[in-house]
Every structure is written in C-alpha cells, then in structure tokens.
Amino acid sequence: MNVLRGVTAALVLLLVGQQAVAADLPEIPDPQEGASVEWPSPWQIRLRALGVITEDSGYVNAVPGSGLSYWNTVTPELDISYFFTDNVAAELILGTTYANITGQGSIGALGNIGKVWLLPPTLTLQYHFTDFGAFKPYVGGGVNYTIFYHQEAGSADDLKVKNTFGTALQVGFDYMVDEHWGVNFDVKKLFLKPDFDVTVAGAKLTGKAELDPWLIGAGVTYRF
C-alpha cells in the first residue's frame, strides 16, 4: 500500500508540473488556422511622358566644318521592372520617337537632311534606397541597343543611320501613395553615337551622329 500511495503521489506531482510548464509557454499558432503572410510582388510597371533632348553634335567625314543638329521630342514610354530584392531591381525601358537631322556649319545649306525613327530599348540595373518611407529614390546604369527604322531622306538623296549599342546612366524616384500606386520622376543619359551613310548630289559619304540624348520622364508607377 505504501508503494501504491507513493506511485500515485508521484503521478499527481508530475501532472501538476506539466500543466504549470504548459501555462508558462507561449502559444504557437496552428499552421492550419493561421493566415498566410502576403509578400509584395517583384513586378512593377511605369507609364511616363518622356522628353528626349539630344546633343546637337556630329559630322560628315571628309567635309571640314560640317555639323549636325536634331529635333527634341516628347513621347510616351513604358517600363517594366523586376525586383530581385527590396533594393536591387532590373528595368526594361520601351518607347519610340523620331529625329529630324539638320545640317550645320559648312553643310548648313542642306537644311533638313532626313528623318529617322528610333526604338531604343534600354536595360538598367538599379539600386533602390528604402530608408525614406514613401519616398523611394534610386540610381542605375545599363546598356542600350537603338534600332533606326522608317528612314526618310530630305535634302539628301539617301540616308541610312546604323543600329548601334550604347550605355545608360539613370537617377530617379518613386513616391508611393499606397502599396500599389505611386508617382515617378526619372532622368536618363544615353551615350549614343551611331554611324550613318548618306548620299548627297550623287556623292556617297559617311559620318557620325552624336545624339547622346537626355531622357527626362514623369508618370505613374504601379507595383503588383
């Protein structure tokens, strides 16, 4: 009987001790009942109005004192971004515009040499600063490949601007109104110097168009 009483007392103490320990432990939510955590999507798009401001520089080979200038334009632009982390993203910029090419200097009498359309898709790698709340500035750099199409000669008999690679630098910011929508301001500098072939009065010539445009844009941001 003494043994039975001792065993019974030990069991009672053990059960009371387990209940006390359980009362002190924090409750762990049941994974079947808890709500899932929603992470932001890595995808983002922007739609901007873009001002294209070119450098008035370039020349025709073998024509001393020749120069070139180009019209500035405004065009819509779409960009698509993918965030690898909160800070690092890649951005693909898509838009198209045109350039009127005008002779300057010793070839100023030619006036409008021709008009070309250009498609300059640009891919940049960006670093986004995340310590300023809704204000999210970023910097970036990347590469550009410009395609020239629908080329029309003006005072020249024929004009062919050649597709070319370039580089790009970028700075800008988003100001997020809520978790999805924001406003954006962005400035890019493209280093773009395509070669061209031109025929004037039957003479075939070559040259370089030093466009090097500034791309200044403002628009809306949407984060999925």
Side-chain angles (χ1 to χ4, degrees):
M1 288 297 292
N2 290 333
V3 173
L4 181 60
R5 289 173 183 171
V7 170
T8 303
L11 289 173
V12 170
L13 290 173
L14 180 62
L15 290 173
V16 171
Q18 287 181 335
Q19 290 175 352
V21 171
D24 291 337
L25 292 175
E27 291 188 7
I28 300 175
D30 187 345
Q32 301 296 327
E33 298 177 0
S36 60
V37 178
E38 183 178 351
W39 297 100
S41 168
W43 293 100
Q44 178 177 279
I45 61 172
R46 298 187 187 94
L47 183 63
R48 302 185 184 106
L50 190 70
V52 182
I53 303 172
T54 58
E55 300 284 343
D56 288 332
S57 184
Y59 53 86
V60 177
N61 294 322
V63 182
S66 60
L68 299 171
S69 66
Y70 321 94
W71 286 15
N72 300 327
T73 59
V74 176
T75 187
E77 180 229 49
L78 171 70
D79 80 59
I80 304 168
S81 297
Y82 183 87
F83 283 77
F84 301 101
T85 70
D86 288 342
N87 299 104
V88 179
E91 180 187 69
L92 178 63
I93 302 146
L94 301 171
T96 188
T97 188
Y98 65 90
N100 282 297
I101 304 173
T102 303
Q104 299 290 322
S106 61
I107 60 172
L110 292 176
N112 182 258
I113 297 171
K115 176 181 177 180
V116 297
W117 282 82
L118 54 151
L119 176 66
T122 303
L123 181 64
T124 60
L125 186 65
Q126 302 171 332
Y127 185 85
H128 292 251
F129 300 90
T130 56
D131 301 327
F132 305 99
F135 178 67
K136 302 184 182 300
Y138 57 86
V139 294
V143 295
N144 157 268
Y145 185 72
T146 299
I147 300 166
F148 296 91
Y149 66 99
H150 197 60
Q151 305 192 41
E152 301 174 353
S155 58
D157 301 324
D158 187 54
L159 175 66
K160 175 63 175 178
V161 183
K162 300 178 181 180
N163 300 342
T164 188
F165 281 98
T167 56
L169 295 176
Q170 178 183 35
V171 63
F173 69 85
D174 293 300
Y175 187 87
M176 301 305 295
V177 178
D178 58 32
E179 63 178 323
H180 294 294
W181 290 98
V183 294
N184 174 260
F185 181 77
D186 184 272
V187 177
K188 302 180 195 70
K189 176 67 172 180
L190 300 187
F191 298 92
L192 186 61
K193 297 177 171 63
D195 295 319
F196 64 86
D197 297 329
V198 64
T199 303
V200 180
K204 295 183 178 181
L205 302 166
T206 62
K208 187 176 289 290
E210 298 180 351
L211 298 168
D212 291 344
W214 289 94
L215 308 181
I216 302 175
V220 296
T221 298
Y222 184 80
R223 182 77 179 264
F224 290 94

